C-alpha cells in the first residue's frame, strides 16, 4: 500500500537562514549543483531558488546590506 502523504516520499526543501536579503545559490556545488544565481527577497523575509527549491530565510538579526559577505561561501578546497 503506498504512503498516504506526499511528505513521506518527497522531503521538504532545505531551509537556510541568512543574514542579508540578497543571497546566491549554486545548489551545493559539485556535480549535483546548478549555475550560480543571485536572488533578492524584496519586501519578503524569504526567497526560494528556482533551480533546487532551497528556501533562504532572513534571520532575526540581519546585517546591513552594505556589509559584504561572500555570495557562495564554500570551504577553500571547494574552489
Amino acid at each position: 500500500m503506498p504512503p498516504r502523504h506526499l511528505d513521506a516520499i518527497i522531503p521538504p526543501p532545505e531551509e537556510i537562514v541568512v543574514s542579508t536579503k540578497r543571497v546566491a545559490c549554486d545548489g551545493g556545488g559539485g556535480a549535483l549543483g546548478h549555475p550560480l544565481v543571485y536572488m533578492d527577497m524584496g519586501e519578503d523575509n524569504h526567497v526560494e531558488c528556482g533551480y533546487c527549491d532551497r528556501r533562504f530565510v532572513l534571520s532575526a538579526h540581519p546585517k546591513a546590506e552594505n556589509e559584504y559577505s561572500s555570495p557562495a561561501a564554500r570551504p577553500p578546497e571547494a574552489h
Side-chain angles (χ1 to χ4, degrees), residues 14-58:
E14 182 180 5
E15 190 169 286
I16 302 170
V17 177
V18 295
S19 58
T20 62
K21 286 188 160 264
R22 293 183 191 146
V23 296
C25 182
D26 66 358
L32 300 177
H34 59 70
L36 181 65
V37 291
Y38 297 88
M39 300 164 281
D40 193 300
M41 294 180 193
E43 296 297 317
D44 296 327
N45 287 332
H46 67 277
V47 66
E48 292 180 5
C49 178
Y51 283 98
C52 65
D53 293 331
R54 279 182 171 172
R55 182 178 176 96
F56 295 88
V57 179
L58 189 63

